[in-house]
Amino acid sequence: MKTHNLGFPRIGDNRELKHALESYWRGETSQNELLETGAHLRKNNWECQKELDYVPVGDFSFYDHVLDTSWMLGNIPARAQKTGGSTLDRYFRTARGQSAGDGEDNQISAGEMTKWFDTNYHYIVPEFDPSTEFCLDDGSLLDQVQEAQKAGVNPKPVVLGPVTYLFLGKAENFDKKTLLKKLLPEYVGLLNRLAARDVEWVQIDEPLLVTDLDNDWKHMLKQTYQALANESVKIMLATYFGPLDDNLDLALSLPVQALHVDAVRGKDQVPDLVSRLPEHMVLSLGVIDGRNIWKTDLNTLLDQLTPIHDQLGDRLWLAPSCSMLHVPVDLEIETGLDTELLSWMAFARQKLVELDLLAKALNQGRTIVAAALEENAKALENRKKSPRIHNPGVQARLAQVDDSWGERNLPYPERAKRHKEKLNLPLYPTTTIGSFPQTKEIRSLRLKFKRGQIGLNDYTTGIRDQMKSTIEFQEETGLDVLVHGEAERNDMVEYFGERLDGFAFSRYGWVQSYGSRCVKPPILFGDVSRPQPMTVMWIVYAQSLSEKPVKGMLTGPVTILNWSFVRDDQSRADTCRQIALAIRDEVLDLEKAGVSIIQIDEAALREGLPLRKNQWEEYLNWAVEAFRIAANGVKDETQLHTHMCYSEFNDIIDAITRMDADVITIEASRSNMEILNAFDETAYPNEIGPGVYDIHSPNVPSVDFIVTNMKEAAKRIPRERLWINPDCGLKTRSWPETKESLKNLVEAAKVLRAAA
Ligand code: GLN
Ligand code: ZN
């Protein structure tokens, strides 16, 4: 039995890659220094994987592996092709764009970014059009193969498969599938060149095999692997992020020498795979969770693997379920977690140790690793029984929840009348999504407080001053519904996690989000409850400064869940319900404190959708239920808002409607309000604030632009139900452009009201 890995985190133990990239981009270090950091990181990664039989090569990237694939295949967008600087500079320009005045004449737009399957990693979307040609440039990969051989490991190059590569790209008014025949010769060339370098196995990733595929895509997979078969290397076809389900037969029918499957999320498919595995094929089981941070139950796993090993012998390989890109690097350096929590977890390096233990136990018998197995069993037992995980109060309360907890008393039209009486808002009310610019001043205040350089009083006073000037600005400008500006928050999920029981925060548990950007997801390890109010004091303060309503501002349970590492000992649905109860407590406390409008952001509701359509309904059912529990305990007089910053609603509009928020604010400006087609009168009955300008850009929208957008909106939604607001929060913007933009927004509302 052999072991291998699909990919190791690129960022380094201390986010060396991030620091090296950013200092290179600032012009502070040379390209050589950056290249050296890259080489050093790869070497370190291979060093800690050297116990494996095969080590991934090509998993490292200076920005993104999908972008690397585009470069390797010579598919470089025209706008970046003939620009100055080195190849690496052009590569970064494809990813990040370039603003005019960077010493270059033209502005170049950044590559589009989107989420890699259902992870929080973002890749640069390949661009295809009828003139797309490919031209293999595998120099970098071949160099890395050589580098790995010198480092004394057995390299297994990892490449993104041609079918998934096409699948992930965008093509306007053009059938990108037709490009396959141009693409295949490049892959054939690549395999031959790798074989010439003494490479035995190549891992070709086709994660699209865990999604719903129509016949065209299935046919393309067949065509592809027939074309690639019989080249001089062996192919391991890698699938991950879910079971193969209806694509299982297809996967087994492809002429490849090995198939890797996700045996964590796709555990149930394993017996079927084992019994149907063709004689010539190796089965690689991804048994160690590459998407979460908990220790593997090694003993139970060995019980399950032993008969499979007996049956398959050396045709069984073991690996993590997917690339470990999605978990933090090393638990050993962690200082933010206590020893008990640490004893329950495994980051990337620890997962390699687990893999090694499994291999030893299967190949040489369990006694040789008996002590380690016993320790593993103890840690798991301790976690199972820990009073830190199980809170009987939370369990008892959950048992009481019934449908009525998620229901408002009156239907929306009746509630709307009460809101009108109570709030007396004008036609086209104006508001913002919550955050105002997070200035240097705010960040340094927070840092000083964290470091103990200033006390709680000074910190609170400093933050209050920020809120005061934010409220004053909004009053001067004439916005109708104000916000406190979120100066007290570092991050919309972390802020709540830090105040809830059941969450822990690592100090170094970074995971790459895109390019040099890393996130440190909260770790949700136990039953969730709210020991005390989390936001009431700030909102009450902000409200005390104005006669106008100030929105209470919360993050919703689904978003908190989707942006955290969550427990694996109960369903996501149950965990989500627990968070919902904690947020509900906060909502009711805000209401009690006199807050008349409360917004619950669900920025990540859509991205939590399962990869398979037939699982959407189940997810949406519990996700919407959780939102309803969190939100709908309020009195009819209270106006409940939600916010979602994306612009695809057609396929989830029923679920959005069931949430029954009085007002939903959404991203709309980039689609010129076309997204509102999903919200037409019959589909969505409540109020909507379609974002009238894009907050990702520093451009100030003109009054005309906003008026035009709102007129478009009013063609689809009766104006009595429309609000005016930006696409999303303003925390990444600067004050000058924020002021100009919001002045124009208020001006536009006046124009529209006068014309009404
Ligand atoms: N209230 C948050 C803000 O304004 C919402 C952020 C988001 O939707 N991503 O920053
Ligand atoms: Zn948003």
Side-chain angles (χ1 to χ4, degrees):
M1 195 225 67
K2 294 200 158 100
T3 55
H4 71 116
N5 186 17
L6 281 73
F8 198 79
R10 313 154 178 157
I11 55 175
D13 289 351
N14 294 302
R15 285 181 297 157
E16 287 88 342
L17 182 61
K18 175 196 179 67
H19 302 130
L21 283 170
E22 290 175 359
S23 96
Y24 176 68
W25 292 336
R26 283 194 302 264
E28 291 167 13
T29 40
S30 69
Q31 182 160 317
N32 263 345
E33 286 168 279
L34 177 60
L35 294 176
E36 265 167 34
T37 304
H40 176 74
L41 287 167
R42 289 192 293 271
K43 195 160 175 240
N44 267 353
N45 287 354
W46 290 325
E47 175 66 29
C48 74
Q49 298 178 87
K50 68 173 189 285
E51 297 297 322
L52 301 176
D53 293 295
Y54 298 95
V55 163
V57 173
D59 55 336
F60 178 82
S61 172
F62 278 115
Y63 203 95
D64 163 44
H65 59 273
V66 181
L67 184 63
D68 291 359
T69 310
S70 290
W71 275 70
M72 182 174 77
L73 295 167
N75 180 27
I76 303 160
R79 63 177 181 280
Q81 261 173 26
K82 294 209 174 64
T83 58
S86 63
T87 311
L88 192 62
D89 289 333
R90 284 205 299 284
Y91 166 87
F92 287 138
R93 212 170 280 133
T94 332
R96 310 169 65 224
Q98 162 183 290
S99 45
D102 276 4
E104 299 275 340
D105 325 326
N106 321 327
Q107 185 183 327
I108 294 176
S109 51
E112 190 180 316
M113 250 184 348
T114 204
K115 281 186 181 250
W116 174 242
F117 294 86
D118 62 351
T119 71
N120 286 326
Y121 173 84
H122 303 71
Y123 68 92
I124 303 286
V125 180
E127 298 172 33
F128 303 122
D129 62 47
S131 69
T132 300
E133 298 288 339
F134 301 103
C135 175
L136 184 66
D137 175 4
D138 52 10
S140 165
L141 183 61
L142 295 180
D143 288 349
Q144 289 175 52
V145 167
Q146 201 174 24
E147 227 177 274
Q149 284 162 338
K150 272 197 199 141
V153 293
N154 197 0
K156 179 197 57 178
V158 177
V159 294
L160 183 55
V163 190
T164 299
Y165 178 69
L166 289 177
F167 186 75
L168 295 176
K170 64 172 178 180
E172 254 157 58
N173 306 321
F174 165 63
D175 183 6
K176 60 188 178 182
K177 293 171 183 159
T178 58
L179 290 173
L180 185 66
K181 59 179 180 305
K182 287 190 188 172
L183 197 48
L184 287 180
E186 309 300 324
Y187 274 83
V188 169
L190 175 67
L191 294 185
N192 284 323
R193 288 159 64 85
L194 287 170
R197 300 289 175 115
D198 287 335
V199 164
E200 185 190 356
W201 284 94
V202 177
Q203 172 189 322
I204 306 187
D205 288 5
E206 294 285 13
L208 95 161
L209 270 161
V210 308
T211 68
D212 298 324
L213 296 178
D214 66 23
N215 284 333
D216 282 354
W217 289 106
K218 289 185 188 171
H219 181 68
M220 285 162 72
L221 282 159
K222 281 189 201 149
Q223 239 183 310
T224 296
Y225 289 92
Q226 268 148 21
L228 300 186
N230 302 322
E231 295 308 327
S232 24
V233 284
K234 296 186 214 162
I235 294 175
M236 165 168 294
L237 183 69
T239 69
Y240 38 81
F241 301 150
L244 290 161
D245 286 342
D246 60 332
N247 297 327
L248 188 137
D249 282 326
L250 169 64
L252 287 176
S253 76
L254 298 175
V256 292
Q257 287 74 25
L259 175 67
H260 171 86
V261 298
D262 185 330
V264 176
R265 291 188 174 184
K267 196 166 179 246
D268 298 343
Q269 69 183 346
V270 173
D272 219 18
L273 277 163
V274 171
S275 67
R276 285 154 73 179
L277 193 72
E279 285 282 301
H280 69 275
M281 218 188 254
V282 167
L283 180 63
S284 162
L285 293 181
V287 289
I288 308 243
D289 196 347
R291 296 286 299 272
N292 214 333
I293 42 96
W294 305 109
K295 263 188 185 157
T296 308
D297 182 348
L298 296 176
N299 293 282
T300 306
L301 193 54
L302 280 171
D303 292 342
Q304 291 156 356
L305 288 174
T306 303
I308 300 176
H309 186 221
D310 291 345
Q311 192 178 336
L312 297 181
D314 59 5
R315 287 197 296 137
L316 174 68
W317 289 22
L318 294 185
S321 58
C322 57
S323 164
M324 294 201 282
L325 187 61
H326 312 291
V327 292
V329 185
D330 190 6
L331 209 55
E332 291 285 313
I333 59 168
E334 183 54 47
T335 55
L337 302 166
D338 61 72
T339 44
E340 186 178 26
L341 284 176
L342 287 174
S343 75
W344 301 341
M345 296 180 193
F347 290 177
R349 282 180 195 267
Q350 289 67 42
K351 287 173 191 283
L352 290 172
V353 175
E354 295 186 335
L355 192 57
D356 193 45
L357 285 171
L358 288 173
K360 290 209 169 90
L362 286 177
N363 285 335
Q364 302 168 43
R366 292 193 205 189
T367 39
I368 181 165
V369 288
L373 290 178
E374 196 174 318
E375 202 183 305
N376 176 269
K378 266 196 200 134
L380 281 141
E381 190 59 21
N382 169 293
R383 179 177 163 212
K384 216 179 272 172
K385 288 195 193 135
S386 170
R388 290 173 71 186
I389 289 188
H390 307 285
N391 179 338
V394 174
Q395 308 279 358
R397 190 157 173 234
L398 257 183
Q400 286 171 4
V401 176
D402 61 37
D403 286 351
S404 72
W405 288 48
E407 264 161 37
R408 303 286 294 264
N409 300 316
L410 293 172
Y412 164 76
E414 297 300 318
R415 302 198 303 263
K417 284 183 201 150
R418 304 203 176 194
H419 301 156
K420 194 147 192 46
E421 265 165 45
K422 184 170 177 189
L423 300 167
N424 196 24
L425 295 171
L427 189 64
Y428 293 114
T430 54
T431 192
T432 59
I433 305 305
S435 57
F436 268 76
Q438 284 261 338
T439 55
K440 263 194 206 131
E441 221 178 325
I442 297 177
R443 271 194 283 259
S444 98
L445 206 58
R446 200 174 9 257
L447 201 66
K448 281 186 193 153
F449 178 53
K450 258 199 168 157
R451 290 189 179 151
Q453 290 158 347
I454 58 171
L456 182 62
N457 274 343
D458 288 347
Y459 174 71
T460 308
T461 311
I463 294 289
R464 280 186 172 205
D465 287 348
Q466 296 289 336
M467 289 178 182
K468 188 153 181 267
S469 54
T470 303
I471 294 279
E472 278 166 5
F473 161 72
Q474 294 173 83
E475 289 231 330
E476 272 162 39
T477 311
L479 285 150
D480 300 306
V481 172
L482 314 191
V483 296
H484 75 304
E486 302 183 22
E488 83 287 16
R489 299 183 194 174
N490 34 3
D491 173 273
M492 64 187 285
V493 170
E494 192 174 31
Y495 181 82
F496 291 94
E498 280 174 344
R499 282 157 187 79
L500 291 169
D501 282 350
F503 282 85
F505 288 82
S506 67
R507 182 107 193 259
Y508 299 105
W510 297 100
V511 179
Q512 188 177 21
S513 169
Y514 61 89
S516 68
R517 266 287 275 272
C518 302
V519 294
K520 195 153 59 68
I523 295 167
L524 196 169
F525 67 89
D527 288 341
V528 176
S529 61
R530 188 199 65 148
Q532 54 191 17
M534 305 181 281
T535 63
V536 177
M537 148 184 131
W538 300 115
I539 306 294
V540 166
Y541 170 72
Q543 181 66 83
S544 75
L545 303 171
S546 178
E547 296 291 313
K548 291 188 169 172
V550 175
K551 287 192 270 192
M553 189 61 60
L554 303 170
T555 303
V558 187
T559 300
I560 294 179
L561 179 92
N562 284 340
W563 286 350
S564 301
F565 283 122
V566 300
R567 43 202 291 200
D568 58 354
D569 58 347
Q570 67 181 21
S571 70
R572 291 175 75 82
D574 283 341
T575 305
C576 198
R577 265 191 287 272
Q578 293 186 357
I579 310 170
L581 285 179
I583 299 297
R584 179 186 178 95
D585 292 343
E586 187 72 11
V587 167
L588 296 180
D589 277 348
L590 283 167
E591 185 181 56
K592 225 187 284 161
V595 178
S596 52
I597 305 184
I598 299 167
Q599 175 175 317
I600 305 180
D601 295 331
E602 284 291 20
L605 187 122
R606 188 183 171 92
E607 65 186 52
L609 283 170
L611 292 171
R612 294 284 195 164
K613 263 249 154 81
N614 63 9
Q615 292 163 15
W616 280 26
E617 194 181 318
E618 193 207 336
Y619 165 76
L620 287 170
N621 279 343
W622 60 252
V624 169
E625 188 206 338
F627 178 87
R628 286 169 58 101
I629 292 172
N632 291 349
V634 292
K635 298 197 183 83
D636 292 314
E637 290 72 35
T638 300
Q639 191 176 58
L640 209 292
H641 292 214
T642 189
H643 164 71
M644 296 179 190
C645 35
Y646 35 82
S647 51
E648 273 177 80
F649 285 95
N650 279 309
D651 45 4
I652 57 168
I653 193 71
D654 290 343
I656 303 293
T657 304
R658 270 186 280 136
M659 289 165 68
D660 200 21
D662 296 305
V663 182
I664 181 170
T665 53
I666 56 175
E667 177 186 319
S669 70
R670 283 192 280 192
S671 74
N672 299 320
M673 301 290 149
E674 265 169 33
I675 135 172
L676 287 177
N677 295 343
F679 286 85
D680 76 24
E681 202 161 353
T682 45
Y684 193 79
N686 304 5
E687 287 157 60
I688 305 175
V692 287
Y693 74 90
D694 180 8
I695 54 86
H696 297 95
S697 127
N699 298 343
V700 172
S702 68
V703 176
D704 262 3
F705 177 81
I706 300 174
V707 169
T708 310
N709 263 343
M710 286 310 294
K711 283 188 176 157
E712 270 311 304
K715 286 184 194 159
R716 293 156 171 105
I717 312 284
R719 62 185 187 210
E720 292 70 32
R721 292 202 270 115
L722 282 173
W723 287 60
I724 309 187
N725 45 262
D727 266 350
C728 190
L730 303 164
K731 71 174 172 213
T732 56
R733 299 269 57 90
S734 73
W735 268 108
E737 72 220 25
T738 297
K739 287 191 171 167
E740 288 307 306
S741 302
L742 292 178
K743 268 184 203 147
N744 289 351
L745 187 145
V746 170
E747 210 39 55
K750 286 186 191 151
V751 173
L752 288 159
R753 284 171 200 151

